[in-house]
Amino acid sequence: MKVAIVGATGAVGQRFISLLQDHPWFKITALVASERSAGKTYAEAANWVLNDAMPKAVASMPVLASDDRLDADLVFSAIPSGTAGPIEEKLSGAGLRVFSNARDHRMEADVPLLIPEVNPEHVALVEVQKRRRRTDGYIVTNPNCAAVVVTMSWKPLHEKFKIKKAVITTMQAISGAGYPGVPSLDITANVIPFIGGGEEEKVQTEPLKMLGNFENGAVKNAAFPISATCTRVPVEEGHSAVVNLEFERITNENEILETWSQWTAEPQKLKTPLAPLRPLHVKREENRPQPRRDWNLEKGMAVSVGRLRKDNVLHYKYFVSGSNTVRGAAGGSILNAELMYAKKML
Amino acid sequence: MKVAIVGATGAVGQRFISLLQDHPWFKITALVASERSAGKTYAEAANWVLNDAMPKAVASMPVLASDDRLDADLVFSAIPSGTAGPIEEKLSGAGLRVFSNARDHRMEADVPLLIPEVNPEHVALVEVQKRRRRTDGYIVTNPNCAAVVVTMSWKPLHEKFKIKKAVITTMQAISGAGYPGVPSLDITANVIPFIGGGEEEKVQTEPLKMLGNFENGAVKNAAFPISATCTRVPVEEGHSAVVNLEFERITNENEILETWSQWTAEPQKLKTPLAPLRPLHVKREENRPQPRRDWNLEKGMAVSVGRLRKDNVLHYKYFVSGSNTVRGAAGGSILNAELMYAKKML
Amino acid sequence: MKVAIVGATGAVGQRFISLLQDHPWFKITALVASERSAGKTYAEAANWVLNDAMPKAVASMPVLASDDRLDADLVFSAIPSGTAGPIEEKLSGAGLRVFSNARDHRMEADVPLLIPEVNPEHVALVEVQKRRRRTDGYIVTNPNCAAVVVTMSWKPLHEKFKIKKAVITTMQAISGAGYPGVPSLDITANVIPFIGGGEEEKVQTEPLKMLGNFENGAVKNAAFPISATCTRVPVEEGHSAVVNLEFERITNENEILETWSQWTAEPQKLKTPLAPLRPLHVKREENRPQPRRDWNLEKGMAVSVGRLRKDNVLHYKYFVSGSNTVRGAAGGSILNAELMYAKKML
Amino acid sequence: MKVAIVGATGAVGQRFISLLQDHPWFKITALVASERSAGKTYAEAANWVLNDAMPKAVASMPVLASDDRLDADLVFSAIPSGTAGPIEEKLSGAGLRVFSNARDHRMEADVPLLIPEVNPEHVALVEVQKRRRRTDGYIVTNPNCAAVVVTMSWKPLHEKFKIKKAVITTMQAISGAGYPGVPSLDITANVIPFIGGGEEEKVQTEPLKMLGNFENGAVKNAAFPISATCTRVPVEEGHSAVVNLEFERITNENEILETWSQWTAEPQKLKTPLAPLRPLHVKREENRPQPRRDWNLEKGMAVSVGRLRKDNVLHYKYFVSGSNTVRGAAGGSILNAELMYAKKML
């Protein structure tokens, strides 16, 4: 299928390009960026910041403006939140399937907020969306990069033990802020106890939509309280979180560890190209997971959990870490498209 | 008064030396270290790791062994936990007043675990201790470096609103692990979700002793549940923590902020040399406190708090940060001695 | 004397404010910034990035535009190179003594490029400048932050042994790029082998002007070849350089070390407020100087040298490090004004 | 072929294991470490510090002592310099082909100091060695990790233009010091201008042996002066160097760039498993190469060069960067064995 990347010159756009190179199902046919970049070649327009080299295939491709006609079946949108909203609506209005990273449409009732392992049944919302908005195209979103990591560790537990309360403290990587993003003068040898753009609000609400039930053409959100504190740490890649949980059903450490270890879901059954063999890796060492050493598990698509132990205040606590730019952004979005492609819903 | 520093060549010992230079009440007369160092000059024995230069006065002082007779009235002990126990007992048995940083004696019933602003009345335990142990000397301890920072932010709140439950996630500086301490290959651009030596246990128990009441010659510990997760971050100095609290008495944000802002205690009244003007600084910016920018407030003796806001699970949450080697170690120990000196209890 | 700071909200402007608080001779009476900030209070306009707190005295001062009338005798200019040129000319044309950090006027024949310890006699250029430009005010510049550090280590050697050739590799701190400056995504755990804005050119030319002789109302530049490579490293403060030198006169290591150790100059004789006791500190440890541990020597006004040894290609090589925002920028500029004040030339 | 790794639990040993997993020619059959580890499984004995996970195949292998009989044809030695000497002699004396990372035997006249692209003809020294030492086995060494990176950038230039003088300043990664290696308290946000163990001496001498001619059964070292300063920077992986060169033959920038770009050598012809397609990658961006973004080129086996420009003192200067643990250590050693295997000399 022909794929356009909108917001192609930014850090997330670059990650899309990097992950789609040699993809068996999707082929990049259009790169879209701001007015300023349009007309240049991609190599001229983009300040490539990834550690992997820029794929040769895109270097000489022309950068288009979002108004240009796109030779594409689906669109990956890496446009910043705020700007993304109207552009993505226009693209879906024009019949394109838009897979978006931006916050703008995530909490709309007819837009799937999707992690393929967590709530694949929510994709049915696209039919609701198309009917309600009278469009041929549609918008599918993936969640905030910290919310992804946490929600993946919750899904199998919530199914079995039902989460009642959750306290979260995140430690988020600098790449989560894009490029140029966090000034080095702020973060070098420091912790910043705040992330703008409503980060804590996102982490407190998005998981509830994803853990909600799809009934009668709508998602009924889960309804337990989440308290999140989001901080920035001098880590290049990998968002981590300390999570304290209380459950409705009584359980024990072994049961939780087994539930995590054995968890597989739709993408694992479908064996789509980016699907990890196991969405969750349980680390047994007392000092793991660590973002720098573990973010790249299964090419950044697996999340790792560890340090599970009893909690004096809630029931259990643990540490979770996962890639914010792969699983938490571009890779997650591509996996959303893979899910729909494999289920012939694209 | 004449002061000996035991464990003088380590990172905490160096901080003692640095803070005691030009002290109006205490004068370093003896430096004690391991067998290996004894007999050398301090400059030969110590690998000075602080950013401030080694004070000239100590460079040529001889390093003694702990068996040598010490020309000193009181002792600051910077010996590592584990080793410290028997040495400190021997020194106090020999009639010296020992102010210790080590974990070994902290939780013993007749040993004060002291932060002068928090529980100055606990110093009365030294009389109990002297009677019970039949010694002229005694041991006074200061708490774990993360416990100090958190407990200072709790004391005025606990007095007014009574803490019922507490969830803590710490982000601790590399200097907390001494020297050589944390290998750079582990912590560079990384977070390590575990700190050895029973760190979480300390943070979960020491505050309860310090917030306990002194009644009938004994401390009755406070009794609310604390859940702590301790992590290491690539920060040079300054331990930080995200704290979620539930209170017995209903309160509001303004009342908490005022309680913090207005809090002063015994050292502020006595105006001892290292006492900060205000033990707690309330930061109003949304992205403060930050360990690198705020650890040095009032020469590292003040702790700063910020980002107070309602909590969806418990009642309130905030961020706290403070120096781990000054207030959390050597400076705290010196302040303990200053308190007793000022009250003529030394 | 009344002092205005132009470019007051930037990182260098903040350093000026921090260093001038409690200055015995100079008092800040005006803060000037861009149109965008004018009209706000300083606390509103500035995003304070220094580790020391913002001085209370300036927080409520109004920020002026550069067109406003300034109630000041002299001006410290922290305006970025490029923008600074015409503004500084206008200010000096209006009769103000302008002490500038910017590159724009440094190499002009009638503008002193000044380090008080290196070429105090060059201040005489201000008379030439006033005559030639028919102004009451004038412009005095301080050099590039890396050039300062290197040139201070050269001055006493050049006097005695005459430098014939110099090869320099710098490792420069992120604070040298201002704020927001270097993106953390670029510099975290990385080295960037390039610094924009003509950094290498400045390091290759500015020392030659400063080491030049003042003869007949003009500076005759020194004339040896300098090769500079400038790199950025993940250090917060302190520019360092590896320097390889060839001399005209034969010397030996002891003679060089003594020459450095014994060097004092005009500011040391005049004992001006910011003058360090010794401009150069010779470090004897094999692993010093280090930027993080040594940048703050004598409050950031001293430069440190070490690791002097024979060179297989040129004659000698060594390592030098010094504060880039204090000695290399704001502190250097203030010292320039102190020199002229102490010599009653202001 | 059956391969033993000696010093298997250290950081370099781990890199050997990681690189040899799935190697088409070599299969790990024995893991050797110190007395302390012998008898444990590898998973028990090793504190795995690499970012890639420990290969499952080795986790349950027993760790042997160096006195045990090794079921192996060749040995990769990752033993630290100093300790390595006698052990490697014993192993080669026992008939094993030893490929060593250690310094101990590098400069011995009958031991090849080998980079397959640079001096493949030097392998003939093993015959000399076997005759002289009357052994069936032999020792082949690879150079110091900084020397590798620099020498690879020199080889094609030296062949064409003959190097006359070289000045080098290195900026070396923390992984170069092994594990635990550099304390984080030393290197966080800092530069250390010294590397122990004779680092500068190695960089000044080893390239001359490698660039020497093999004549009449002996290597005649190259004979130009090299001046090296070696520093440590807070980079995880990738040694970089600023290099200033003077040539005997006059050349120009284009000729140098083409010489680098077109250079291929023996391993490229033989297409051995770890051989990079191009040993040198020329980066055209003004701010490249960068260690973090470029160390992993061709899986860490290629070195990258950039910023070539005229030098005011010598003739040309440039920046070079390459992996210190892959090309500079384990990968280099394996490539040495691949070269001899492909040439049927093993």
Side-chain angles (χ1 to χ4, degrees), chain C residues 109 122 125 208-215 217-222:
Chain C
H122 290 201
L125 278 180
L208 298 175
K209 179 170 179 182
M210 290 185 280
L211 296 175
N213 294 322
F214 183 74
E215 293 165 3
V219 170
K220 189 160 175 264
N221 287 7

Side-chain angles (χ1 to χ4, degrees), chain B residues 11 47 49 174 177-184, chain D residues 180-186:
Chain B
N47 174 17
V49 297
I174 52 176
Y179 187 88
V182 187
S184 56
Chain D
V182 186
S184 56
L185 219 40
D186 284 339

Side-chain angles (χ1 to χ4, degrees), chain A residues 292, chain B residues 185, chain D residues 5 7-21 28 42 48-53 55 76 78 101 175 236-238 274 295-296 299-301 323-334:
Chain A
R292 198 193 70 217
Chain B
L185 218 41
Chain D
I5 298 171
T9 53
V12 177
Q14 294 180 20
R15 189 60 83 182
F16 270 115
I17 289 172
S18 177
L19 290 169
L20 286 172
Q21 119 188 77
I28 301 175
Y42 186 74
W48 190 262
V49 298
L50 300 190
N51 292 352
D52 319 310
F76 289 114
N101 256 282
S175 56
E236 191 195 352
E237 173 72 25
L274 280 196
W295 75 264
N296 203 18
K299 298 186 180 163
M301 291 301 289
S323 163
N324 50 296
T325 68
V326 181
R327 171 54 90 157
S333 217
I334 297 172

Side-chain angles (χ1 to χ4, degrees), chain A residues 247-276:
Chain A
F247 297 114
E248 303 223 335
R249 222 204 82 193
I250 283 173
T251 177
N252 59 52
E253 291 173 47
N254 277 341
E255 204 181 9
I256 295 174
L257 292 172
E258 291 212 351
T259 302
W260 275 336
S261 298
Q262 292 168 4
W263 186 50
T264 56
E266 203 72 7
Q268 285 70 43
K269 272 171 234 149
L270 298 168
K271 293 189 179 157
T272 72
L274 278 196

